[in-house]
Amino acid sequence: MSDRRISRACRVGDVTVGAGAPVVVQSMTNTDTADAALTAAQVAELAQAGSEIVRITVNNRAAAAKVAEIRDRLRDDHGVDVPLVGDFHYNGHTLLREFPDCADALAKYRINPGNVGRGARHDANFATMVQAAIDHDRPVRIGVNAGSLDPELLDGLMDENGRLADPLPADAVLREAMVQSAITSAEAAEELGLPGDRIILSCKTSRLQDMVAVYRDLALRCEYPLHLGLTEAGMGSKGIVSTTAALGILLQDGIGDTIRASLTPEPGGDRTIEVRVCRELLQSLGLRAFRPEVTACPGCGRTTSTVFQELAQSIERHLDARMAGWRAERPGVVDLKVAVMGCIVNGPGESRAADIGISLPGTGESPRAPVYVDGEKVATLEGAGLADEFILMVEEYVEAHYPRAEAGALRS
């Protein structure tokens, strides 16, 4: 992995973004913010899934009037204290001024410089939002989107490009406009009095290669922390693949301080999938560890039995269920590596390489499953109770290798 770009530090509530801190996972609600109970419930669900910052839409007076209540409901009803980010477009200058309790309840404001007004109103409205951030001692994310780029800036750059003897392609001009919009807006915010360590930048587009190119350029031209996202990534496997490809390229380059997977859920579907995708991506890249890693055989013609698949699922569910307690009690348990393999081809080798692993027999092979602990074969399991016996061995491994921390000790 490339050396990580070290940006300035920016505090969002109790979360540090940038300056070499762990890459932060973000998400966003899709509820009507005016429904405080429903929004608080979804924020809590996202936070409990692992979102460290949650953004909510603040698009009208009804929504702004409920933000403080949402914060209070999170604390009082759900026991959750997660930084809330207000997503403002078009009328943020009005809402932040009219609802100071909203401005105070939010941990950060998202400003889209393409949607704060046109002409002279652009500068005045932008200044009003920045002043609110100064007054309430809040950071801002200046979030540029390709789909809502300041048309005056883009038109000006297009006109300049058209006069060149060898004009650049239109998409290159669009990318430059995005970078310029972000950087000049950040500089303007600093000129208005907002400290540089209270600014985060993003430049989002739905086209993967454009997004990667924009962020690489942005990373070279500023020291602000960068929020990564492939906006409007789409649904299902398409959205997941596109998002993880785009974010993975940049994170591998050492670029990115906080990330979100902008996935379209199925109607009524699970919103937390965007959190899980981000966490799995960071863990796969070795940037963070959130839970023990389970290596599982994909299956082939040698594994027509479903025993190893069922065991892998049981182990995953068991680890997920135990992590809340383990994380608080047993420092380092997130680094545990478990292998559940399906046949003798790669099974023994992968099981030896894990902290604890089991190699189930493939179709037609001897119905006995050796278990390896720290590279050594320690047991052979068989019969209907095989899954429960292996789970018990995993529990015993955790008990022996990740002792309970003393009360008050810091957790990893």
Side-chain angles (χ1 to χ4, degrees):
M1 180 175 292
S2 301
D3 291 339
R4 188 170 172 194
R5 169 185 178 267
I6 303 300
S7 61
R8 298 174 181 174
C10 180
R11 294 284 291 176
V12 181
D14 292 331
V15 177
T16 298
V17 177
V23 178
V24 174
V25 174
Q26 294 194 33
S27 61
M28 185 174 182
T29 59
N30 61 355
T31 56
D32 179 358
T33 307
D35 187 334
L38 186 62
T39 300
Q42 190 176 84
V43 171
E45 185 180 23
L46 291 165
Q48 288 159 359
S51 184
E52 294 154 304
I53 296 174
V54 180
R55 184 158 44 114
I56 61 176
T57 298
V58 188
N59 57 334
N60 53 42
R61 289 180 171 85
K66 293 292 185 176
V67 171
E69 180 183 339
I70 292 167
R71 177 203 56 194
D72 294 343
R73 283 178 176 270
L74 282 169
R75 181 188 61 237
D76 300 337
D77 299 345
H78 301 279
V80 169
D81 183 20
V82 65
L84 293 176
V85 177
D87 193 61
F88 294 99
H89 296 272
Y90 309 111
N91 58 356
H93 57 288
T94 299
L95 298 177
L96 287 169
R97 185 176 60 246
E98 290 185 5
F99 295 88
D101 59 338
C102 166
D104 188 63
L106 294 168
K108 184 178 72 173
Y109 314 148
R110 185 278 174 96
I111 304 174
N112 182 341
N115 285 342
V116 296
R118 300 287 179 261
R121 288 188 297 112
H122 175 283
D123 293 347
N125 294 346
F126 181 82
T128 297
M129 297 185 74
V130 170
Q131 189 59 51
I134 295 170
D135 293 343
H136 293 273
D137 192 23
R138 297 294 188 264
V140 302
R141 170 162 70 92
I142 296 174
V144 176
N145 281 3
S148 53
L149 192 57
D150 183 346
E152 295 177 9
L153 172 62
L154 180 59
D155 290 347
L157 289 178
M158 286 292 187
D159 288 344
E160 291 178 17
N161 185 62
R163 291 192 290 270
L164 296 176
D166 186 17
L168 297 171
D171 57 352
V173 179
L174 174 64
R175 293 194 296 267
E176 174 61 21
M178 293 178 68
V179 173
Q180 281 197 27
S181 178
I183 292 176
T184 58
S185 296
E187 291 172 346
E190 289 200 59
E191 290 173 3
L192 290 165
L194 186 67
D197 63 0
R198 308 298 276 168
I199 299 172
I200 297 171
L201 299 185
S202 68
C203 284
K204 293 188 176 183
T205 175
S206 59
R207 297 172 61 181
L208 188 153
Q209 296 294 350
D210 284 340
M211 178 227 175
V212 171
V214 164
Y215 274 103
R216 282 175 171 165
D217 195 8
L218 191 60
L220 292 172
R221 292 164 62 175
C222 75
E223 296 180 350
Y224 301 108
L226 301 181
H227 169 68
L228 305 185
L230 183 72
T231 191
E232 300 144 3
M235 299 181 70
S237 59
K238 182 268 181 187
I240 293 173
V241 170
S242 297
T243 293
T244 54
L247 270 57
I249 290 169
L250 290 166
L251 291 168
Q252 186 71 14
D253 281 350
I255 297 170
D257 302 289
T258 174
I259 62 174
R260 182 198 170 203
S262 299
L263 303 175
T264 304
E266 298 288 341
D270 184 1
R271 189 69 170 178
T272 65
I273 188 173
E274 65 178 61
V275 179
R276 298 198 304 275
V277 166
C278 287
R279 285 163 63 98
E280 292 288 354
L281 173 62
L282 292 174
Q283 180 144 341
S284 295
L285 289 170
L287 293 172
R288 294 189 66 178
F290 299 101
R291 60 187 298 280
E293 181 179 307
V294 179
T295 300
C297 170
C300 67
R302 298 179 63 92
T303 56
T304 54
S305 167
T306 61
V307 173
F308 82 93
Q309 297 166 326
E310 293 161 0
L311 179 56
Q313 288 181 336
S314 296
I315 289 293
E316 291 271 9
R317 286 194 296 266
H318 184 79
L319 294 176
D320 284 341
R322 295 289 279 146
M323 270 311 296
W326 280 350
R327 184 183 295 277
E329 300 169 358
R330 300 182 180 276
V333 73
V334 293
D335 297 321
L336 174 68
K337 292 179 173 55
V338 181
V340 180
M341 302 301 294
C343 80
I344 62 172
V345 174
N346 293 319
E350 290 286 357
S351 297
R352 287 191 187 97
D355 295 319
I356 179 169
I358 186 168
S359 179
L360 279 80
T363 304
E365 296 167 2
S366 176
R368 296 163 61 81
V371 176
Y372 299 84
V373 172
D374 294 330
E376 300 294 331
K377 181 179 174 182
V378 298
T380 301
L381 304 181
E382 58 184 311
L386 181 151
D388 290 339
E389 290 181 59
F390 183 66
I391 288 174
L392 178 60
M393 293 184 73
V394 172
E395 286 279 347
E396 291 172 345
Y397 187 93
V398 171
E399 183 75 27
H401 291 78
Y402 301 98
R404 295 180 187 275
E406 295 181 6
L410 293 175
R411 299 296 181 266
S412 61

